[in-house]
Amino acid sequence: MGSQWSRDKVYLRAKQEGFRSRASYKLIEIQNKFAIIRENDNIIDLGAAPGSWLQVLRTLTSGKVLGIDLNPIAALEGIDTIEGDLTDLTIQKQAQEMLGTVSVVVCDAAPKLSGHKSYDQVRAIALGEEALIFASHVLKPGGNFVIKSFQGVDFPELLDRIKEHFFVVKTYSTKATRKGSTEIYIIGKNFKG
């Protein structure tokens, strides 16, 4: 009996095309629909391991790209990484020093799932709030933000918080998301500063 991954067409396509995970296609789809990244943007990817979004980001900008994760990220050409916690103020300061002006913050991170939907959803919302705080500290006015979340009871509250910081806020479910998943992306454009 094969694993769930061996039957996953998007996963197999990602491996064939040299991406580290299926998540690459989610970012490509978001970029094609919302044009969040411009040619010379400096970008931070929170929760960046294993690095599939970093691979895509490197193709979308000539600016600096920085990945931050609690876990190490295998080296990628033209990309800097920091192993650390996005809630750590010294990590935020280090990121700003490395990039200077930050135009875009993206976050495809999710907490380790326990299988208990309500518990996992609360943890995902908390992670989303931390990513929003990070983005609010480093983004330039007019910058963009993309975050993965999960629909549930607390989701509207996170969405409202993001609306306080960005002039345009949209939600989007990608075609590359697994069937039956409550995963959804929030796109914040034009940071108020």
Side-chain angles (χ1 to χ4, degrees):
M1 182 184 231
S3 76
Q4 66 175 343
W5 305 115
S6 65
R7 296 184 303 271
D8 184 326
K9 289 179 184 166
V10 178
Y11 171 81
L12 293 173
R13 179 180 163 209
K15 290 299 171 195
Q16 289 169 346
E17 294 182 6
F19 289 120
R20 293 183 176 179
S21 81
R22 66 183 289 125
S24 300
Y25 301 110
K26 298 174 185 179
L27 181 57
I28 292 167
E29 204 177 315
I30 290 166
Q31 173 65 11
N32 288 341
K33 184 157 182 72
F34 298 101
I36 53 159
I37 297 159
R38 293 166 296 260
E39 192 177 325
N40 58 358
D41 282 343
N42 290 340
I43 304 168
I44 297 176
D45 181 1
L46 302 174
S52 56
W53 276 31
L54 293 171
Q55 290 177 292
V56 174
L57 293 169
R58 184 70 284 159
T59 68
L60 297 175
T61 182
S62 59
K64 296 175 185 173
V65 178
L66 173 65
I68 300 173
D69 201 290
L70 290 170
N71 301 305
I73 302 165
L76 287 162
E77 189 175 334
I79 292 172
D80 292 314
T81 60
I82 298 173
E83 188 176 337
D85 188 336
L86 67 93
T87 65
D88 184 340
L89 294 176
T90 59
I91 297 291
Q92 292 176 20
K93 186 176 180 189
Q94 184 182 357
Q96 271 191 304
E97 288 170 357
M98 290 173 76
L99 266 66
T101 301
V102 178
S103 308
V104 180
V105 173
V106 298
C107 180
D108 191 42
K112 286 195 184 337
L113 301 177
S114 69
H116 299 285
K117 283 193 175 188
S118 59
Y119 175 70
D120 290 340
Q121 207 256 341
V122 167
R123 291 175 61 227
I125 295 296
L127 180 59
E129 289 171 348
E130 293 296 344
L132 176 61
I133 291 167
F134 183 102
S136 297
H137 287 152
V138 302
L139 269 179
K140 71 173 189 175
N144 296 328
F145 180 58
V146 175
I147 186 167
K148 174 168 67 181
S149 191
F150 296 90
Q151 297 176 64
V153 176
D154 298 321
F155 178 77
E157 193 175 321
L158 175 61
L159 189 61
D160 287 343
R161 283 204 185 109
I162 293 173
K163 287 177 180 176
E164 292 171 10
H165 295 277
F166 294 86
F167 285 105
V168 177
V169 177
K170 304 279 184 187
T171 59
Y172 186 67
S173 295
T174 69
K175 292 179 181 76
T177 298
R178 284 190 194 86
K179 300 276 186 263
S181 173
T182 62
E183 176 182 281
I184 191 165
Y185 288 88
I186 303 172
I187 295 91
K189 295 188 78 173
N190 200 356
F191 179 56
K192 295 177 183 178

